[in-house]
Each structure stands twice: as structure tokens, then as C-alpha cells.
């Protein structure tokens, strides 16, 4: 055939693809949707109705990548997301030409001093370097991006021994000494896949000075993979420390407490930020998960929303005392602050009895990596910046603040947010979603479907193939080390030689009209309002 024949055939194919195929497709949609009775808009407008549903389906992606500006978007803005990615991938927090932060909005600010601390004046332990890998960009074009890994020895930015936070120092045979102020919040194996848990474990172990909370799903080999310090969480269904009948097993608990990697235990009250009973479909209860959780394989799990072992502060404290006596290690509780009267009763009981937890994790109502109902997520529990200082105030009021450490949790994914939480009363900070982002999370918000497209919040073997542990664990280490370095930078700006010295006086609140209020006044006003109810 000559060239003319090829051109004619090409033209026919082009017309078929561009005109005929779409026309046939639209005719198909018209006759299919014109007869259905479920959707009114499709029945009246078969073609345009499908365009509407398509746009609605891809709306979150359009907003995230095209229409929201860098400071919009929930639960995290594009800027917040990129801050985590840059810290993990490049160990980089430098920016140019000024901040994108919305300075007209209300918020908390750190009070800098006229005479900040020099680097050599900071009380930091950088004696043992961390061997990690970071990316270096070779070319960043419009359609191409080339970068490569580079090995790097970095400073760990740990606290000095004398500044380490000690949990259970006066109550336990084996206290938990922490030389970094930031750790991983509870995320269970099963909610996250084995690749994500392994990458987190190895990264946290590499960074040192931090900890890994198992979540309520029990202790797995994947949590142990990187040899990090571990806080084992125990939820109301007692996964990992239960008898076949569902009762608490002191034998299983003792086995766990004898493991050197487990440094403390945490009782999760009312499912933390989820404030409901847990639910796992039977098809997800594999042989491996059943063995870890000590449950029956293939059987649906509906967890209670509170422990049957206790139902008031006194009986809870008695249970904690026995756990501490048997295990010899610190025992804490994880709560969402809501009913301040009930919390005050609990703290009063701590004062009267001399008993109580070694630490309290305050889970802000805005937190929670797990699935829950919309009404519980949106309206139950105070956010962390309201809950934390009030809890701190109540503990000081009853003279028991020195007996208990406070761990804050709830969207505290950057150094400035961590520093503000420390100033508001936290001794330590937990992060969940920041660490998820560090191992590849793109905020697709399908964690509860087992269809996470990047292999983080899924047990699908196929989807997990995209998450390479060897690569991602360096990002975890870089992220947590970057957070610690940022904390020391902020401490120096405030005239402090260690971030452990942040107090309420080091931050102020600015409202949307530019008025400045000391945090102390805000907290006292909140507590006073509670007592006048």
C-alpha cells in the first residue's frame, strides 16, 4: 500500500476513536441510566449525571493537588504534609523567601529572647552519630526528577543523661529512661501492614532515644524488628495478654513484661481518640494476627469500649498497682479529655490513695489513625491544645504532677507544634500520622478499607509491594532526628539550653484581631469556667 492508503486508514481509525467510540459510549449510558430508578439525576440527565458523579469521585484528589492552597486541606495541609516528607527524605527543613503560615489567623507563638543560646551552649548529646541515608536532588525539571541516595553521619540530637525523662522512677523496679522527647503513637499490626510496621521499627531503632507504641493489636515480630524501645498498649479486648475465654492473663502479661525491649505498658481507655469499641472483620483475622492477639482465627472481633477489669478510678488504680508489681515496669493510661469533673475525681483519688499511673497519654480529639464514626470523630473529646494544659493544671492543683508524666498526642507533626505542646505541660509527645507520612502515606483517607494505595494501612500483599522497608526506614529515622534538631533550635531561640525547659511562659496566644494573651490566663479562665458550671 502507498502512503495515501496508510493516511486514509489512519484517518478512519482516528475518527473511530475520537467520534464513534464516545458517541456509542454516551448512547450506552443514556439507555442504561434512563431506565434505572435509583438515581434521579441519572434518570433525567444520563450523560451529565455521570460527569457529576465522576467529578464527585475524584473531588478529594482535585482539591488536594489542584484547588486547595498550601495551607488548606484536612486533616493536614499540603504544607504540613510536605514538611514531614522533606524532613524524612532529605532531612531538610530550610525554606526561602518567607513562611507560608497564615499569620492573620489565631494561634500560639513561641516567645523568642533577645539573647538566644549558642549551639555550643545547648545541653545536647551528639556523641554517637547515626549512620543514615538521605536523598540529594540532581535534576528537578518539569517532567523529570533525578535524585540519588547518599550515606550520611548525622547528629542524633538526644538529651543528656541528666536531662532524660524518667518514667516510673519512684515506683518501678525497671524505670523507663527516654533521651528523646518524641516517639511513635499506638498503631497496631493489622491496621498497618508488616512492611510499614517493620520500617517504623527499624527507623526508630536506628534513631535511638525514642519509642514505639504497639497499638492495642498486640506485640508482633514486626514491632521487634529494629530493636526499638517499646510501649505495649493494652486495650479493652486485652489483645496479646488474654486467655482464650477473653479474660486477662497474668501469665501472658508476665511473659511480655520480661522482654527487655518492652519498657512500659499503656492501658487504652475508651479506645483513645476513637472513643468506641474496636471492630475487625473475621476475614482480616488471619492465622498470624490470631496468634499475636490470642484470638480465634477467622472470627469477627467486636471489642468493648472499656475494660471489664475496672469501672472507677480506685479499681483502675488497684489494677495498675498489680500490673506494676508483677511486671516491674511503668504503667500508664491513654485518655481523651472530655468530662473534667470525672478527671478531677480521678486525680483526687490519686492524691488520697497514693496510687495511680506513671504516665498519662492525652489523645487529642483531633487525633486517631484508626476508623471511627463521623459523629465521634467530629464532636467527642477536646482537641489537644485545650485538653493538655487543663490536665496539667488539675494534676498540679492536687499536688501529684511530679508523680506522673504527660504524653501529648494529636496532629503534633512538626517541631513548632511539639514545642508548643511541651510548653503547655507535656513531658513527651506521641506522633502517629507524621510517621505514616514518613513511610509513604499520601493521605488517601482509605485506611479503613484495606485499600491503601501506597501499602501503609493495608495487609494486602500486593499493595505492600510498593513499600520498600530498606528505603523507608531511613526516612523514619531522618524524620524523628529532624524533629529533635528542630526542638533544640526553638529552645535556643527562646533562650533555653534544652527543650525540656519549655514552660507556659514561653508561649503566647494571638487571636484573629492581633490581641495577645498569656497562656496562663487562658488556662486559668478555662478551669474557672469549669468550676462555675
Amino acid at each position: 500500500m502507498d502512503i495515501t492508503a496508510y493516511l486514509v486508514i489512519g484517518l478512519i481509525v482516528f475518527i473511530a476513536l475520537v467520534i464513534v467510540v464516545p458517541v456509542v459510549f454516551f448512547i450506552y449510558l443514556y439507555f442504561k441510566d434512563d431506565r434505572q430508578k435509583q438515581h434521579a439525576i441519572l434518570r433525567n440527565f444520563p450523560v451529565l449525571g455521570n460527569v457529576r458523579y465522576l467529578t464527585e469521585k475524584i473531588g478529594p484528589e482535585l482539591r488536594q493537588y489542584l484547588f486547595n492552597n498550601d495551607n488548606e486541606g484536612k486533616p493536614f495541609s499540603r504544607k504540613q504534609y510536605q514538611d514531614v516528607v522533606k524532613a524524612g527524605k532529605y532531612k531538610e527543613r530550610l525554606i526561602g523567601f518567607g513562611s507560608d503560615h497564615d499569620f492573620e489567623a489565631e494561634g500560639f507563638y513561641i516567645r523568642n529572647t533577645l539573647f538566644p543560646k549558642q549551639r555550643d551552649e545547648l545541653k545536647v548529646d551528639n556523641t554517637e552519630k547515626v549512620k543514615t541515608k538521605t536523598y540529594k536532588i540532581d535534576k528537578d525539571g518539569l517532567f523529570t526528577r533525578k535524585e540519588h541516595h547518599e550515606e550520611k553521619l548525622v547528629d542524633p540530637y538526644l538529651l543528656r543523661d541528666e536531662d532524660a525523662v524518667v518514667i516510673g522512677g519512684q515506683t518501678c523496679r525497671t524505670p523507663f529512661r527516654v533521651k528523646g522527647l518524641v516517639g511513635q503513637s499506638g498503631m497496631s499490626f493489622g491496621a498497618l501492614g508488616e512492611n510499614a510496621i517493620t520500617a517504623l521499627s527499624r527507623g526508630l531503632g536506628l534513631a535511638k532515644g525514642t519509642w514505639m507504641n504497639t497499638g492495642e493489636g498486640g506485640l508482633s515480630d514486626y514491632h521487634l524488628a529494629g530493636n526499638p524501645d517499646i510501649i505495649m498498649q493494652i486495650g479493652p479486648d486485652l489483645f496479646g495478654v488474654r486467655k482464650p475465654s477473653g479474660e486477662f492473663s497474668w501469665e501472658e502479661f508476665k511473659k511480655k513484661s520480661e522482654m527487655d525491649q518492652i519498657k512500659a505498658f499503656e492501658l487504652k481507655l475508651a479506645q483513645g481518640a476513637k472513643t468506641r469499641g474496636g471492630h475487625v472483620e473475621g476475614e482480616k483475622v488471619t492465622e498470624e494476627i490470631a496468634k499475636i492477639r490470642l484470638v480465634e482465627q477467622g472470627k469477627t472481633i467486636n471489642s468493648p469500649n472499656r475494660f471489664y477489669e475496672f469501672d472507677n478510678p480506685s479499681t483502675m488504680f488497684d489494677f495498675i498497682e498489680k500490673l506494676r508489681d508483677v511486671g516491674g515496669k511503668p504503667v500508664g493510661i491513654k485518655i481523651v479529655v472530655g468530662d473534667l469533673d470525672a478527671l478531677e475525681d480521678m486525680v483526687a483519688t490519686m492524691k488520697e490513695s497514693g496510687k495511680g499511673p506513671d504516665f498519662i497519654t492525652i489523645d487529642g480529639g483531633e487525633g486517631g489513625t484508626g476508623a471511627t464514626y463521623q459523629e465521634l470523630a467530629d464532636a467527642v473529646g477536646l482537641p489537644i491544645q485545650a485538653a493538655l494544659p487543663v490536665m496539667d493544671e488539675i494534676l498540679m492543683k492536687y499536688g501529684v504532677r511530679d508523680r506522673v508524666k504527660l504524653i501529648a498526642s494529636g496532629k503534633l507533626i512538626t517541631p513548632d507544634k511539639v514545642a508548643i505542646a511541651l510548653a503547655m505541660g507535656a513531658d513527651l509527645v506521641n506522633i502517629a500520622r507524621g510517621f505514616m507520612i514518613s513511610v509513604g502515606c499520601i493521605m488517601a483517607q482509605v485506611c479503613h478499607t484495606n485499600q491503601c494505595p501506597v501499602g501503609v494501612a493495608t495487609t494486602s500483599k500486593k499493595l505492600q509491594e510498593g513499600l520498600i522497608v530498606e528505603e523507608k526506614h531511613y526516612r523514619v529515622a531522618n524524620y524523628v532526628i529532624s524533629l529533635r534538631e528542630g526542638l533544640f533550635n526553638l529552645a535556643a531561640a527562646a533562650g533555653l539550653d534544652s527543650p525540656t525547659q519549655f514552660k507556659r511562659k514561653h508561649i503566647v496566644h494571638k487571636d484573629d484581631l492581633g490581641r495577645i494573651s498569656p497562656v496562663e490566663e487562658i488556662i486559668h479562665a478555662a478551669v474557672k469556667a469549669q468550676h462555675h458550671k
Side-chain angles (χ1 to χ4, degrees):
M1 290 191 301
D2 58 19
I3 188 66
T4 304
Y6 281 114
L7 289 173
V8 170
I9 292 172
L11 180 62
I12 293 172
V13 172
F14 176 78
I15 292 173
L17 291 175
V18 175
I19 299 176
V20 177
V21 172
V23 168
V24 171
F25 179 67
F26 288 144
I27 292 173
Y28 164 74
L29 288 179
Y30 182 86
F31 284 103
K32 178 179 77 73
D33 290 330
D34 185 57
R35 288 167 172 77
Q36 60 81 36
K37 299 179 180 179
Q38 185 178 3
H39 302 287
I41 193 168
L42 291 179
R43 189 171 174 86
N44 291 333
F45 306 97
V47 177
L48 292 178
N50 276 285
V51 173
R52 175 190 181 277
Y53 284 118
L54 173 64
T55 307
E56 185 179 65
K57 182 69 175 178
I58 65 175
E61 288 80 9
L62 292 175
R63 287 188 291 274
Q64 181 177 354
Y65 296 111
L66 297 177
F67 301 131
N68 282 342
N69 68 41
D70 285 347
N71 287 307
E72 293 176 332
K74 300 292 183 181
F76 297 101
S77 68
R78 185 185 296 116
K79 178 185 180 300
Q80 291 170 323
Y81 173 82
Q82 290 176 341
D83 285 343
V84 175
V85 172
K86 286 170 58 179
K89 194 172 182 180
Y90 308 104
K91 198 181 172 295
E92 180 64 76
R93 299 184 315 284
L94 291 175
I95 63 171
F97 206 64
S99 172
D100 289 338
H101 180 75
D102 183 1
F103 291 99
E104 294 182 4
E106 65 174 353
F108 292 93
Y109 290 86
I110 296 169
R111 299 173 64 179
N112 63 298
T113 182
L114 292 175
F115 305 102
K117 293 291 184 180
Q118 300 280 15
R119 286 190 174 272
D120 58 5
E121 295 177 307
L122 297 175
K123 292 183 178 179
V124 60
D125 181 359
N126 282 327
T127 53
E128 187 176 348
K129 309 299 182 184
V130 174
K131 187 177 181 181
T132 185
K133 289 183 178 181
T134 61
Y135 277 95
K136 183 176 181 180
I137 299 174
D138 301 312
K139 182 180 180 181
D140 192 10
L142 184 60
F143 297 107
T144 59
R145 183 182 182 88
K146 292 183 179 180
E147 51 192 3
H148 67 275
H149 256 152
E150 286 188 348
E151 287 192 353
K152 185 177 291 188
L153 282 177
V154 301
D155 292 328
Y157 283 90
L158 297 172
L159 302 173
R160 292 184 181 179
D161 289 338
E162 59 268 28
D163 295 322
V165 178
V166 182
I167 303 175
Q170 306 300 319
T171 59
C172 303
R173 298 190 297 275
T174 311
F176 181 22
R177 295 179 60 85
V178 184
K179 293 189 65 176
L181 297 174
V182 180
Q184 184 217 289
S185 190
M187 292 189 285
S188 302
F189 167 60
L192 269 59
E194 58 262 34
N195 284 13
I197 295 290
T198 302
L200 289 166
S201 175
R202 289 181 56 185
L204 292 166
L206 179 64
K208 297 182 174 57
T210 182
W211 66 92
M212 183 180 203
N213 191 305
T214 63
E216 65 177 322
L219 178 71
S220 71
D221 289 340
Y222 310 112
H223 289 105
L224 300 170
N227 197 35
D229 289 340
I230 287 176
I231 296 177
M232 181 176 175
Q233 188 180 90
I234 302 173
D237 222 6
L238 311 174
F239 296 133
V241 289
R242 54 182 274 152
K243 299 177 182 178
S245 60
E247 298 172 325
F248 188 84
S249 170
W250 290 102
E251 180 182 357
E252 291 293 341
F253 173 76
K254 194 170 189 303
K255 288 180 185 177
K256 298 297 192 301
S257 65
E258 290 171 349
M259 298 177 67
D260 183 61
Q261 272 186 254
I262 295 181
K263 303 298 183 183
F265 295 89
E266 179 183 79
L267 301 178
K268 184 180 183 183
L269 306 188
Q271 293 290 302
K274 292 187 289 185
T275 64
R276 69 171 180 90
H279 175 82
V280 182
E281 289 291 340
E283 62 187 29
K284 292 185 178 181
V285 186
T286 62
E287 180 181 359
E288 183 179 32
I289 288 177
K291 183 178 179 181
I292 292 167
R293 299 192 178 195
L294 303 177
V295 297
E296 185 178 338
Q297 180 183 348
K299 186 176 180 180
T300 296
I301 303 170
N302 286 301
S303 304
N305 65 0
R306 72 166 180 82
F307 287 82
Y308 286 109
E309 284 71 19
F310 49 83
D311 59 4
N312 60 60
S314 295
T315 55
M316 179 173 68
F317 293 166
D318 289 340
F319 187 65
I320 288 173
E321 288 289 316
K322 189 172 181 181
L323 291 173
R324 194 186 288 125
D325 183 58
V326 171
K329 294 181 177 179
V331 181
I333 60 174
K334 181 176 184 177
I335 64 173
V336 171
V337 171
D339 187 344
L340 299 187
D341 292 328
L343 282 178
E344 189 152 355
D345 289 342
M346 182 187 76
V347 176
T349 304
M350 289 178 61
K351 173 69 172 178
E352 295 165 5
S353 66
K355 302 176 181 179
D358 295 299
F359 64 93
I360 300 175
T361 300
I362 307 296
D363 202 1
E366 70 272 54
T369 56
T372 189
Y373 298 108
Q374 168 270 321
E375 62 271 19
L376 295 177
D378 289 351
V380 176
L382 295 176
I384 191 63
Q385 290 181 339
L388 175 61
V390 172
M391 187 75 240
D392 184 45
E393 189 75 14
I394 294 174
L395 290 169
M396 288 191 293
K397 174 183 175 182
Y398 285 88
V400 296
R401 182 64 179 87
D402 60 328
R403 287 166 38 188
V404 59
K405 302 300 182 185
L406 287 181
I407 305 177
S409 179
K411 299 179 70 172
L412 308 173
I413 64 171
T414 50
D416 54 311
K417 293 186 180 298
V418 174
I420 289 169
L422 294 173
M424 285 183 164
D427 297 290
L428 301 165
V429 165
N430 268 342
I431 298 174
R433 285 171 289 186
F435 280 111
M436 289 176 67
I437 293 171
S438 75
V439 292
C441 168
I442 60 170
M443 302 193 300
Q445 294 183 275
V446 292
C447 308
H448 57 296
T449 67
N450 206 37
Q451 297 299 314
C452 174
V454 290
V456 178
T458 179
T459 55
S460 164
K461 298 292 184 182
K462 177 64 177 176
L463 291 171
Q464 287 191 80
E465 290 178 0
L467 199 164
I468 307 302
V469 173
E470 181 61 30
E471 194 269 342
K472 298 297 186 185
H473 87 279
Y474 289 115
R475 299 198 191 192
V476 175
N478 295 338
Y479 174 51
V480 71
I481 291 171
S482 185
L483 285 170
R484 296 193 301 231
E485 181 181 5
L487 283 176
F488 272 99
N489 284 346
L490 291 169
L496 309 173
D497 53 27
S498 172
T500 59
Q501 298 170 4
F502 274 116
K503 303 295 181 187
R504 295 176 187 174
K505 65 182 180 180
H506 296 117
I507 56 174
V508 295
H509 180 267
K510 182 195 78 70
D511 67 16
D512 53 3
L513 297 178
R515 295 173 295 196
I516 303 300
S517 301
V519 173
E520 199 78 19
E521 291 182 6
I522 298 172
I523 296 170
H524 288 162
V527 174
K528 185 177 179 180
Q530 172 67 18
H531 286 298
H532 280 84
K533 285 172 56 179

